Amino acid sequence: MQLLNYKSKSFLQTIPNWDPINYRDENICISEFMYGLVAQSCLCPGFSTLMINLISTRSYIPGINENFDWKSDYAYGCDHEIYTVMISSDFNGMTFPEAARYVISS
């Protein structure tokens, strides 16, 4: 569930069938997410730019900004995205590095 205001979280408990433990119901508060990105960027400059670039969609067009190496590199980096996919239950119990090693070696 997407919330605009963090104060709305208190009303979630009154929604019938809202069960974050058994059904993994999730909520995202936009203002908390935004402030979290700002706070993380204070600790790690560029973090919010990286996250926004990963969750937004852009297309890289080779040849544009070739005179400026950093702009071309930035545009190429913006072309990468994050997707959610279901994986086999064979990976249950593996850590991410273990699963990555298995996938790369296969």
Side-chain angles (χ1 to χ4, degrees):
M1 177 175 292
Q2 180 177 329
L3 303 173
L4 297 177
N5 192 332
Y6 74 94
K7 293 178 184 176
S8 301
K9 281 186 170 182
S10 62
F11 298 114
L12 290 176
Q13 302 304 319
T14 62
I15 296 175
N17 298 325
W18 178 262
D19 190 357
I21 296 171
N22 295 322
Y23 296 106
R24 296 185 181 174
D25 291 338
E26 301 272 344
N27 68 65
I28 296 174
C29 182
I30 299 301
S31 61
E32 284 183 347
F33 181 73
M34 180 184 66
Y35 291 133
L37 280 176
V38 171
Q40 201 62 34
S41 289
C42 291
L43 298 172
C44 180
F47 178 79
S48 62
T49 303
L50 173 65
M51 290 294 106
I52 297 302
N53 286 341
L54 288 173
I55 62 176
S56 62
T57 303
R58 296 191 183 118
S59 295
Y60 172 67
I61 302 171
I64 294 180
N65 296 325
E66 284 188 356
N67 296 337
F68 304 100
D69 289 334
W70 72 268
K71 285 185 181 179
S72 181
D73 289 343
Y74 181 79
Y76 175 73
C78 288
D79 194 37
H80 294 80
E81 300 169 353
I82 293 178
Y83 296 97
T84 302
V85 295
M86 296 297 293
I87 61 172
S88 170
S89 60
D90 295 339
F91 292 99
N92 288 352
M94 284 188 187
T95 65
F96 180 78
E98 291 169 343
R101 265 188 240 111
Y102 177 79
V103 170
I104 291 170
S105 67
S106 297

